[in-house]
Amino acid sequence: MAPEPDQTSSDPLLLPHRETPTGGWKSALFIIWVEVAERFAYYGISSNLINYLTGPLGHTTASAAAAVNAWSGAASMLPLLGAAVADSWLGRYRTIVASSLLYITGLGMLTLSSMIPSSESQQCSISANGQRVCPPSSLQTAFFYVSLYLVAIAQSGHKPCVQAFGADQFDVTDPKESASRGSFFNWWYFGLCASGTVTIALMSYVQDNVGWGLGFGVPSMVMLLALVIFLLGTRTYRFYDSDHGGAFSSVGKAIGAWRKRSQEAALQELEHGGESSEDSMVAEEVKGLARLFPIWAACLLYGVVFAQPPTLFTKQAATLDRRIGPSFQVPPAALQCFLGVSIISCIVLYDRVLVPVARGVSGVASGITMLQRIGTGIALSLVTLLVAALVEMRRLRAARDAGVVGVPGAVPVPMSLWWIVPQYVLLGAADVFAMVGMQEFFYDQVPGALKSLGLALYLSVLGVGSFISSFLISVIDRVTRRNGGTSWFADDLNRGHLDYFYLLLAALTALELIAFAYFSTTYVYRRKA
């Protein structure tokens, strides 16, 4: 058994849980504000990234959407590696600090990349949306992508550890704190969405109307502020012994023990009285991780749906009449604010209205189970896709009737931006059920020492979903352009067929919902120690 940390040490990283009269909502709110700042930085880059790629970098709509999805996928998958580093070596606190420093570096480089001038020898042109586009130099493109993926690497340690560290501030063995932890996941997502909503409204306007240098520079400064806030709160945090790592080595020991026992004769196992209690415990941890895989796999198509607002929804919105008043025009990416407003409203209704009512009916403390919550979110995402397909059909019909199909320049379709708002609102409601449900489920159901890995599993759903979306867009674009055909994702969306793509995703989501219902009805929740 490893020796206990020195109980007289003043280093908060070495204090065992029982010696730290800290934690609770005071510490959790401190960490929530850090994540709010980090989300401001992240959405300040990601929400309008497709317009940067199709504008200053000169990508086609299909290649830009695929590139954004691939980057989002990497940013969501790499937390599996970050969780492994945190849980087996650095601990969550140190991983957060190291990742934040790398984050600031990546954002600073991204700001510099947007300021590298294009080659004057290259000929500029007018894009389909009326913007003057000068092809970037190869140096600018390479530096941009290096910077962008440095941000993704930084996310790998930040995302799984900050939320797990925040949830660690509540003691699951204390009934009052255990109940508070359920609300923590709701209000955590509330803070993230409030930050994202403000960010998208502010930064999309700055990037479209002021400049990309300032549009990328502000998020880098906000991320620096986030690190300062996190460090200032160090003395208020509750640290667990498990935060020093060792979880993955325990799983490794379990796998090794299984391998050794498989090579022993049954008689020898009986003679020695079977497996040790320690081997039995770590073996159960491995089994517990394996039990989560069917649920994880059945959520992947939700990750595909989640990838659409910052890419195809945004390009779709760019074709509409976005005027409000005589002169103000809403930036296309700013319509993602309706997603955030919907989430914020639905979280309040869920936590304060639905849960108390459902609790009285079901007798379950959380109102509905975590898997029921996720399933409801998947069903709502199916409705979202059907509505998006119907809206796109009407938009294409309006474009044909107005004669703007194939017309060069930024000629809007005579159709108000309010037509596209319902799909954002519905997806926001779906997020409150599916996204928050996945966060709590994977955090709650992994073995005790692997909480960072649990949240990384939830993020990997979004990562794999983004990769699937990138793959589908690339393949469909290639197939539909074959033999002189028109791509579903044509640069002139009035000639494309996003409605077909949304209907395809809806069919796949319906199959996913059936699979999820099957696996969730056979799943047995892990009992708390």
Side-chain angles (χ1 to χ4, degrees):
M1 180 180 298
E4 290 189 356
D6 180 5
Q7 297 182 16
T8 63
S9 172
S10 61
D11 186 350
L13 296 179
L14 300 179
L15 289 173
H17 169 212
R18 60 181 177 277
E19 295 294 328
T20 53
T22 51
W25 275 111
K26 178 179 70 173
S27 297
L29 288 173
F30 218 104
I31 297 169
I32 286 175
W33 279 112
V34 171
E35 184 68 1
V36 164
E38 187 274 334
R39 288 291 85 186
F40 184 100
Y42 179 78
Y43 284 119
I45 302 301
S46 65
S47 62
N48 207 22
L49 187 57
I50 191 168
N51 284 329
Y52 184 76
L53 294 179
T54 56
L57 289 192
H59 288 23
T60 65
T61 297
S63 64
V68 172
N69 286 162
W71 173 73
S72 298
S76 297
M77 286 296 294
L78 284 171
L80 286 170
L81 176 61
V85 170
D87 283 341
S88 63
W89 179 36
L90 281 180
R92 290 167 195 148
Y93 179 90
R94 293 185 180 93
T95 303
I96 293 168
V97 173
S99 298
S100 296
L101 291 171
L102 189 61
Y103 214 135
I104 295 165
T105 302
L107 290 170
M109 291 173 59
L110 199 63
T111 303
L112 290 176
S113 75
S114 67
M115 298 177 180
I116 298 176
S118 301
S119 174
E120 294 182 359
S121 62
Q122 293 176 305
Q123 187 175 5
C124 298
S125 61
I126 303 299
S127 68
N129 59 6
Q131 292 182 336
R132 185 172 182 267
V133 178
C134 299
S137 65
S138 57
L139 173 63
Q140 181 181 5
T141 302
F143 194 66
F144 169 79
Y145 276 106
V146 169
S147 306
L148 193 63
Y149 275 87
L150 196 60
V151 172
I153 294 171
Q155 279 250 118
S156 69
H158 205 279
K159 280 304 292 177
C161 294
V162 175
Q163 189 171 9
F165 194 57
D168 285 346
Q169 306 309 308
F170 300 95
D171 186 354
V172 73
T173 63
D174 182 292
K176 185 177 180 180
E177 290 197 19
S178 180
S180 295
R181 198 191 71 179
S183 290
F184 164 78
F185 283 98
N186 286 331
W187 293 109
W188 174 274
Y189 206 57
F190 178 94
L192 265 60
C193 293
S195 174
T197 301
V198 173
T199 302
I200 292 167
L202 176 64
M203 298 315 300
S204 62
Y205 180 84
V206 170
Q207 290 162 355
D208 286 356
N209 296 278
V210 179
W212 289 98
L214 182 63
F216 289 156
V218 171
S220 65
M221 297 304 297
V222 170
M223 191 60 215
L224 178 60
L225 176 63
L227 177 59
V228 173
I229 292 174
F230 183 76
L231 293 175
L232 288 175
T234 297
R235 291 292 174 178
T236 73
Y237 302 144
R238 176 179 295 166
F239 294 87
Y240 291 81
D241 293 341
S242 61
D243 191 47
H244 306 295
F248 278 84
S249 60
S250 296
V251 174
K253 285 168 60 180
I255 296 173
W258 277 8
R259 186 176 179 182
K260 180 179 179 180
R261 284 195 297 273
S262 67
Q263 298 172 350
E264 296 176 348
L267 183 60
Q268 186 178 3
E269 286 192 2
L270 290 173
E271 182 181 345
H272 288 84
E275 61 187 12
S276 69
S277 59
E278 182 180 357
D279 284 347
S280 177
M281 180 180 67
V282 291
E284 285 300 318
E285 290 185 351
V286 175
K287 290 180 181 178
L289 288 175
R291 290 191 312 115
L292 298 176
F293 179 76
I295 300 296
W296 176 87
C299 292
L300 292 180
L301 260 297
Y302 187 82
V304 178
V305 181
F306 187 80
Q308 304 316 311
T311 54
L312 297 181
F313 280 18
T314 297
K315 296 302 292 183
Q316 189 181 9
T319 68
L320 300 176
D321 182 356
R322 293 172 280 108
R323 291 173 298 175
I324 295 181
S327 58
F328 182 74
Q329 183 161 266
V330 179
L335 289 177
Q336 294 173 60
C337 289
F338 289 106
L339 183 67
V341 170
S342 174
I343 291 171
I344 292 169
S345 303
C346 289
I347 284 176
V348 175
L349 290 173
Y350 181 89
D351 197 69
R352 298 304 179 189
V353 178
L354 179 60
V355 169
V357 172
R359 183 185 296 139
V361 176
S362 66
V364 178
S366 58
I368 59 177
T369 67
M370 291 177 283
L371 289 175
Q372 288 173 340
R373 183 172 186 172
I374 297 171
T376 302
I378 294 174
L380 284 172
S381 72
L382 173 59
V383 177
T384 301
L385 290 168
L386 294 174
V387 169
L390 291 173
V391 170
E392 178 62 8
M393 290 176 189
R394 191 195 184 286
R395 192 193 68 81
L396 291 173
R397 186 166 59 252
R400 289 193 297 269
D401 292 345
V404 297
V405 178
V407 176
V411 179
V413 174
M415 180 174 166
S416 171
L417 64 88
W418 301 110
W419 278 93
I420 203 174
V421 169
Q423 64 200 60
Y424 287 102
V425 173
L426 284 169
L427 189 55
D431 277 358
V432 172
F433 286 90
M435 296 286 285
V436 182
M438 281 191 282
Q439 288 176 24
E440 186 173 5
F441 175 79
F442 287 114
Y443 178 87
D444 186 81
Q445 293 297 294
V446 295
L450 298 175
K451 298 303 184 184
S452 297
L453 176 63
L455 290 174
L457 283 173
Y458 135 72
L459 290 168
S460 71
V461 168
L462 306 183
V464 175
S466 292
F467 284 133
I468 294 173
S469 179
S470 178
F471 173 78
L472 286 174
I473 290 172
S474 298
V475 171
I476 292 171
D477 178 61
R478 190 177 303 114
V479 170
T480 52
R481 282 192 294 106
R482 187 177 299 167
N483 299 324
T486 301
S487 171
W488 287 6
F489 315 102
D491 289 343
D492 180 0
L493 286 185
N494 297 331
R495 298 169 60 89
H497 271 294
L498 290 185
D499 52 339
Y500 292 173
F501 183 63
Y502 294 150
L503 288 174
L504 173 62
L505 293 186
L508 294 174
T509 300
L511 295 175
E512 174 196 42
L513 185 58
I514 294 172
F516 182 86
Y518 171 77
F519 290 123
S520 62
T521 54
T522 58
Y523 183 84
V524 178
Y525 285 94
R526 172 179 172 269
R527 291 187 298 177
K528 296 180 178 66

